[in-house]
Amino acid sequence: MNYAIIGFGNIGQALAKAFARSGLEVCVATTRDPHTYAAEAAAIGPGITPKTLAEAIKADVIFLAVRYESHEDAAKALPNWDGKIIIDVTNAYGVSPESLGGQPSSRVVEQAFTGARLVKGFNHLIAAVLGQDPAVKGGKRVVFLASDDDDAAAQVGALAQTLGFSPIQLGGLSEGGQMVQARGKSWGPLIFKDLIKFD
């Protein structure tokens, strides 16, 4: 299994830090030339490899860490995503429910990535918190996951555990997934909740 992060802003870099802490390799990509952010990637860790978008999308599991408004451009990188797992880290705050056709934003993202298996996750924490060590006072920082594909959600849950987080499955995109999705200018009730789970 190999991994990629599309988008290398604050959230993308926070995710890369989680990979670096865990000793897992991940490639990072934007629409820019990889050389332009190679120094930032190297500063995070040796396993964080800048690649072109065309190279990064060969990964099995891809974190979509771009602005919601840019998801369609990212989706055009492949005509069919053929079973790849896309982890939707976007937030559609300020996007009108009407423009989403009354659907959760992740459902719209899922439709853009034809053939992909989409999991909503890692989006409820601000970058400064997401980038911290998830081991807190004997507990683990929670990440919420939602998907209509149980197997994909389980695989992302296992990855979250490897990265040191405690995943909580919320169910489908239109049910529990609404808890971590913005709607217009209001946030889902679990957005920004920094929770620690103790086993």
Side-chain angles (χ1 to χ4, degrees):
M1 194 75 73
N2 46 37
Y3 308 99
I5 301 168
I6 298 177
F8 201 53
N10 292 338
I11 292 291
Q13 291 183 37
L15 289 166
K17 289 174 184 176
F19 275 85
R21 271 192 306 271
S22 303
L24 280 182
E25 294 184 355
V26 66
C27 64
V28 295
T30 73
T31 54
R32 295 181 288 142
D33 187 303
H35 297 297
T36 63
Y37 50 92
E40 295 162 285
I44 293 173
I48 313 305
T49 308
K51 291 194 175 181
T52 64
L53 185 58
E55 292 170 324
I57 60 177
K58 294 176 183 176
D60 304 305
V61 178
I62 299 169
F63 287 82
L64 182 66
V66 300
R67 291 173 56 85
Y68 172 79
E69 293 80 3
S70 301
H71 79 271
E72 289 182 333
D73 292 333
K76 290 174 185 173
L78 279 178
N80 191 299
W81 290 80
D82 196 24
K84 292 179 182 291
I85 294 177
I86 302 291
I87 303 171
D88 178 17
V89 195
T90 68
N91 279 311
Y93 182 79
V95 178
S96 73
E98 293 76 23
S99 68
L100 299 175
Q103 304 179 94
S105 61
S106 284
R107 176 95 52 219
V108 177
V109 173
E110 181 180 46
Q111 291 163 359
F113 285 82
T114 306
R117 304 161 67 199
L118 187 130
V119 178
K120 183 73 173 178
F122 294 85
N123 67 297
H124 82 284
L125 297 170
I126 62 171
V129 174
L130 184 62
Q132 295 173 13
D133 188 333
V136 182
K137 298 180 180 178
K140 294 180 180 178
R141 180 164 280 118
V142 167
V143 290
F144 297 109
L145 305 175
S147 181
D148 295 332
D149 185 316
D150 292 343
D151 181 63
Q155 289 187 54
V156 175
L159 173 60
Q161 288 181 314
T162 300
L163 295 176
F165 294 93
S166 181
I168 293 180
Q169 302 283 356
L170 298 177
L173 296 175
S174 297
E175 294 78 40
Q178 293 279 33
M179 304 286 280
V180 288
Q181 298 191 47
R183 185 170 177 80
K185 291 193 175 181
S186 64
W187 293 103
L190 294 179
I191 297 277
F192 306 133
K193 298 293 187 290
D194 183 15
L195 306 179
I196 309 301
K197 185 176 179 184
F198 297 90
D199 293 325

